[in-house]
Amino acid sequence: MNATTANAAHWLALHRSMCRIRAFEETALAAHQAGDIPGPLHVSIGQEAVAAGVCLNLRREDRITSNHRGHGHALAKGAGVAGMMEELHGRAGGHCGGKGGSMHIADFSVGMLGANGVVAGGIPIAVGAAQGLKLLGLDHIAVCFFGDGAINRGPFLEGLNWAALYRLPVLFVCEDNGVAAFTRAADVTAGPGVVARAAALGVPAVTVDGNDVGAVDAAAARLVAEVRGGAGPRLLHAQTYRHTGHTSTDAAAWRPADEVAAAKQGEPIARFEARLLAEGVATAAELAAVREDALAEMQAARAAAMAAPWPDPATAFSDVLGA
Amino acid sequence: MNATTANAAHWLALHRSMCRIRAFEETALAAHQAGDIPGPLHVSIGQEAVAAGVCLNLRREDRITSNHRGHGHALAKGAGVAGMMEELHGRAGGHCGGKGGSMHIADFSVGMLGANGVVAGGIPIAVGAAQGLKLLGLDHIAVCFFGDGAINRGPFLEGLNWAALYRLPVLFVCEDNGVAAFTRAADVTAGPGVVARAAALGVPAVTVDGNDVGAVDAAAARLVAEVRGGAGPRLLHAQTYRHTGHTSTDAAAWRPADEVAAAKQGEPIARFEARLLAEGVATAAELAAVREDALAEMQAARAAAMAAPWPDPATAFSDVLGA
Amino acid sequence: MTTLVEALRLAALQEMKRDPRVWVLGEDVARGGLFGQYRGFLEKFGPDRVVSTPISEAVIMGAGLGAALVGTRPIIEMRIFDFVMCAMDELVNQIAKIRYMFGGQARPSLVVRMPHGLWRNSAAQHSQVLEAWFAHLPGVVVVAPSTPADAAGLLVSAIRSDDPVLFFDPKNLFGVEGEVPEVIEPIPFGRVRRVQSGNGLTIVSWSALMPAVQQAAAVLASRGIGAEILDLRCLWPWDQAAVVASARRTGRLLVAHEAVEVGGFGAEIIACVAEHAPGVKLARCGMPRVPLPFSPPLEEAIKVTPAKIVAAADRLLAR
Amino acid sequence: MTTLVEALRLAALQEMKRDPRVWVLGEDVARGGLFGQYRGFLEKFGPDRVVSTPISEAVIMGAGLGAALVGTRPIIEMRIFDFVMCAMDELVNQIAKIRYMFGGQARPSLVVRMPHGLWRNSAAQHSQVLEAWFAHLPGVVVVAPSTPADAAGLLVSAIRSDDPVLFFDPKNLFGVEGEVPEVIEPIPFGRVRRVQSGNGLTIVSWSALMPAVQQAAAVLASRGIGAEILDLRCLWPWDQAAVVASARRTGRLLVAHEAVEVGGFGAEIIACVAEHAPGVKLARCGMPRVPLPFSPPLEEAIKVTPAKIVAAADRLLAR
Ligand SMILES: Cc1ncc(C[n+]2csc(CCOP(=O)(O)OP(=O)(O)O)c2C)c(N)n1
Ligand SMILES: Cc1ncc(C[n+]2csc(CCOP(=O)(O)OP(=O)(O)O)c2C)c(N)n1
Ligand SMILES: [Mg+2]
Ligand SMILES: [Mg+2]
């Protein structure tokens, strides 16, 4: 890392993006615990570097698909916070008008084609989005976020083979937090891992430390450029850690306390802040201000969501078929 | 190869098995063309070495699952010819009482758990059979035959990962004839191929010349021993060629004539016979007699099937639920 | 005169010429498709719009959806209906729900083509008729034509529709001939075609069973019983008004379909008429709840035939 | 008193103790399952009989089948019904057909457990009720209990059955309490449970909607209308005789279910009664043909409630 003016701005953007994701999810978690957010809530606290590091290398017109743990991807891609917070609270002003909730967060206006309640559900969609973009002669790309759990589902194989075959402009991002629901990835995943699987399907892949936003950013920048340049699909394997349980109601008590503590030690925001300070990109006070601003933004969004109207029950019948 | 007395008998059995498959399918093809066999018919003429080379290394209690092109697998595993020929002709005495036909040929009495009308459909079943056998504490194994087309379907990934994970006694056999229906495997398969895919899923794999029954036999013997010994799953990749079209009504006219001619040149029966002669295992007359016996057997079976009664229409309602 | 499969070919051809966003993906489509329904397309439109795919049904379906989300209009060819079972998450959990779930942000304009039904003794895994499932599934249009003209006109509508349309090609009728106009106009969804008028009873049917129904009606006519025959053509939206009106008028309604009778779409029609037009005498004729057997005499024992339709009509008339 | 989920746990536990061929496979089952329905099983039966699997629904389903073919008796746990869409080929084309297709050579003795229905605002991909699909599918038994005792007794029957049984766990009722006997006896398939007797009308329902039906009946009772309530418990085989007899006696039949009304199993029941007991006044109450929305007021607008059941009963009684 070398703090030129240009990348200093980019680094600060990465930091700010991570802080906003963290603040959004901590706020949402509290709201869920307070009973204000219905339905299941999956937060990605600890994994922010992946969403930020990848999405800050994308254009607005690039598309992403996500999974059940999608707040970070959406925010990093530029989804409106008010619409997200209202959606989580089930309000009329939510991006999905209250029809989707956390697990189906989407903001098509910024190319966020949706979270997904089905593991690996976003893979075929992203592949098809890339194929459509190519067919339309556009040079936008598709990015597909999924977890380590998704690499044991069939669509992973079908989607990667397909993308390689048609040289589609799609970047697969495997967010490997080592666990799927209540089961360790290592206990359900045979063979050498996702990089080997991708390679065997014709998709070049690289592993990065997914808790180091600088590393994610650098790898993503390179892979996005290759994909956009017509080189065909790529896969980014980002190793990270989920600080909390599977859902907001899961304490994940089965994980050894020292494992969790060690992971929190190396968590991506503090770690990146240390580098920003060391590189002289920002002062501690500036960084704290970013964090505080993010938290204030999210708490204001939450307050606004709480005050926002519920959807008109009549809207439950629209958006099915026809006009 | 070295013709000891012991393996001479085995080689002759391989030869005989291939000849019976060829004779069965040529007879069935003619019967289909004559309008006596209803429904779709997929023959494996040219691919006999794979079925014979693998199945002659199995016990009766070992289980196999097959695909839409399953006559050879069934015959090599010991399925009764009369029951098979009647089944193809839709007669009451067929293994499935006329309910299955060619695409659903099965003979559970010899461990043949069924052909399958769905590409890759047999993979999860074979994996589960292996898991069940292991759970029951038996040392029988499961063998799963599928084509090159199946490696682009999700169950291939899910099944291999699963088998490796639980170290199941299952041998996967990819019968690679380079084509799926009317599309070249190379045009729809990205990456280095099935062996790499298997390895990436934790399943050691080897490639053999699938038109050389000696090679198939040797590889199968080794892999079956490993699998039975508890080493976990293995994959055998057998390269072969389908002499005829996809179904009995497909001329496969799109394939260059010289390609087909070259393949017929190296076809497995004649090729193996040359070796048997060279090794002094049998005389030309003896080999011809085997071929003629096989043909006579199949033609007699066909005649018997033609004379056999149709199923009682009332049986259409049995075998659904309950007793 | 044009065969039904050729009518479908012409309809897709017309639409792909009209709109460059329309494309087709599925196994072997570049070689014309399993039934020749895309014959010549590769030559005309090239490999980017006529995409022969791997045997990867989940992604055939899901990639179609993704491509629709960025503004193309895919025709998703599933080869044989039964293989849709390999792509049900993509169809049921994704395609059917994406517009609603995202509050209208997405509008997946796509057609899923699924040649279905009995055909040349193909047995249990290649003959299923599960159209009723999709009438029960919110978020999709369900089309099941039976003539070349209807097939062509409804396929044009399907391709132009902004909704996901499940198009059940009646594969057993691919060889049936009929007139198809030079320029194929879209046929609106949800309207029956009145095949013949009559006063003795109303018979509603659709898709591959229509010829059997017409044969049955001929038998009834020879006995002086005039059947009013309605070809439903669409299971969702369906022409409830026309069916109820006809049933009210004749006083008797028989619904015949190739699918299993229990839980088939006939149940919905009968239930609807029972609720809205009490007094109409009602009957169904469908397959028993049995998988499709291979052998001809067994298949014959299971499948709905003109004789079984006549028998059902007779029982209904005797009530 | 035992909760429904605990009753199910006890039933599976009893059967796994009884028969060493019974085992369970599915995601997280070694950690007790998503709902605790397998709590303590790993400790008791070990990792070979309590198999926490990868997220590989196709193989969870298909491996269960393969293992059944060699003589074990798997409980295939699908976690949430909607994920069954990832395993439909294995369920529909393989499990449901294998015995028939092979002329009876195979007898897949297995249970597929699929917790289904609305539950804590889980939205479109985690709330589906598609039970009617499987009543329409030859080759499977379809069970949908609503009380702890029924759930336990029917699960015992399912595990002992030689047929493939689709067991719809009513996940929204997992916390409901009731008595469960020390030794859980099998409850035969295909018999209704008469919840209460009455003469004003017959209400048939099942699974997670039963409490709403009972609340609706209480409202009707407070107005002097006695509803006969039948809990169907099984959709296949279903107790046609009991339903028809009750409907004949009261003269009015309302079928209420959580599923979408169009094409739901209510249509089959209504059609059947319309055919076999003409004159009975018939009505249904189900969800509109709309995916499940997330937000509470939207979900409330869609879902079947006691008030909607009362309103449907009132309309029926006014006819
Ligand atoms: C097909 C399917 N099976 C099971 C589930 C239930 N489920 C939701 S998230 C999850 C774990 C996913 O793990 P991973 O992909 O690694 O993502 P993570 O939760 O770790 O971010 C499971 C099993 C589902 N949603 N979809
Ligand atoms: C899931 C599924 N998709 C499509 C088909 C139609 N189909 C039958 S055989 C076949 C080709 C299979 O190729 P391969 O697996 O290589 O076997 P081969 O025919 O070459 O022996 C296809 C596409 C099918 N049966 N199942
Ligand atoms: Mg994970
Ligand atoms: Mg092949």
Side-chain angles (χ1 to χ4, degrees), chain D residues 4 7-12 14-15 143 145 147-161 165 167 179-181 183-189 233-234:
Chain D
L4 199 150
L8 287 165
R9 192 183 77 84
L10 293 172
Q14 169 183 305
E15 294 307 297
V143 179
T147 67
D150 282 355
L154 286 163
L155 184 56
V156 167
S157 287
I159 294 170
R160 295 188 192 174
S161 172
V165 177
F167 192 93
E179 294 298 340
V180 175
V183 175
I184 302 164
E185 294 294 334
I187 294 175
F189 299 141
R233 304 197 296 190
C234 292

Side-chain angles (χ1 to χ4, degrees), chain C residues 69-90:
Chain C
L69 294 183
V70 300
T72 72
R73 302 181 76 92
I75 300 173
I76 300 169
E77 171 58 54
M78 295 305 298
R79 190 179 191 109
I80 300 272
F81 165 75
D82 307 66
F83 310 149
V84 174
M85 293 304 115
C86 305
M88 285 294 270
D89 174 57
E90 292 71 21

Side-chain angles (χ1 to χ4, degrees), chain D residues 7-315:
Chain D
L8 287 165
R9 192 183 77 84
L10 293 172
L13 192 64
Q14 169 183 305
E15 294 307 297
M16 284 185 65
K17 280 186 190 156
R18 192 186 53 81
D19 185 344
R21 297 168 305 167
V22 179
W23 60 295
V24 56
L25 70 165
E27 297 154 15
D28 293 320
V29 295
R31 226 173 269 287
L34 186 59
F35 302 98
Q37 67 272 56
Y38 304 105
R39 193 170 32 80
F41 280 40
L42 176 69
E43 295 70 17
K44 209 153 266 126
F45 303 112
D48 288 344
R49 289 181 68 198
V50 183
V51 181
S52 265
T53 69
I55 306 174
S56 301
E57 278 76 9
V59 173
I60 297 173
M61 189 74 84
L65 171 57
L69 294 183
V70 299
T72 72
R73 305 180 75 92
I75 300 173
I76 300 170
E77 171 58 53
M78 295 305 298
R79 189 179 192 108
I80 299 273
F81 165 75
D82 309 65
F83 310 149
V84 173
M85 295 302 114
C86 305
M88 285 294 270
D89 173 56
E90 292 71 22
L91 177 52
V92 174
N93 288 333
Q94 314 294 341
I95 287 176
K97 294 182 173 48
I98 206 157
R99 177 179 171 199
Y100 189 82
M101 210 158 56
F102 298 158
Q105 296 183 71
R107 195 88 201 254
S109 306
L110 56 84
V111 187
V112 186
R113 289 185 65 178
M114 309 178 285
H116 79 154
L118 277 66
W119 183 63
R120 300 193 190 167
N121 296 96
S122 309
Q125 289 178 338
H126 283 66
S127 310
Q128 286 173 93
V129 187
L130 295 175
E131 56 202 17
W133 283 15
F134 304 94
H136 185 51
L137 179 72
V140 292
V141 168
V142 183
V143 179
S146 78
T147 67
D150 282 355
L154 286 163
L155 184 56
V156 167
S157 287
I159 294 170
R160 295 188 192 174
S161 172
D162 285 336
D163 291 320
V165 177
L166 309 191
F167 192 93
F168 287 94
D169 296 79
K171 67 180 188 289
N172 206 33
L173 304 184
F174 274 169
V176 165
E177 299 203 322
E179 294 298 340
V180 175
E182 192 77 25
V183 175
I184 302 164
E185 294 294 334
I187 294 175
F189 299 141
R191 307 235 188 106
V192 298
R193 181 172 55 87
R194 189 175 315 270
V195 180
Q196 67 178 49
S197 300
N199 298 315
L201 80 165
T202 301
I203 308 182
V204 172
S205 191
W206 56 87
S207 193
L209 202 65
M210 284 309 297
V213 165
Q214 285 170 267
Q215 287 169 49
V219 173
L220 294 171
S222 73
R223 298 205 220 128
I225 302 156
E228 173 134 312
I229 304 180
L230 303 180
D231 181 345
L232 201 62
R233 304 197 296 190
C234 292
L235 274 59
W236 195 269
W238 70 281
D239 198 342
Q240 199 177 322
V243 171
V244 169
S246 173
R248 273 221 177 87
R249 201 169 55 70
T250 65
R252 286 184 166 84
L253 172 65
L254 172 65
V255 183
H257 54 55
E258 199 174 71
V260 165
E261 188 168 304
V262 175
F265 195 66
E268 176 61 30
I269 297 176
I270 296 291
C272 224
V273 175
E275 289 167 320
H276 293 99
V280 174
K281 295 193 167 71
L282 301 163
R284 287 179 287 169
C285 184
M287 274 197 287
R289 194 174 181 272
V290 164
L292 244 291
F294 160 70
S295 180
L298 300 180
E299 191 186 275
E300 192 68 17
I302 297 294
K303 80 177 192 198
V304 179
T305 57
K308 290 177 194 169
I309 300 169
V310 169
D314 282 341
R315 283 193 302 274

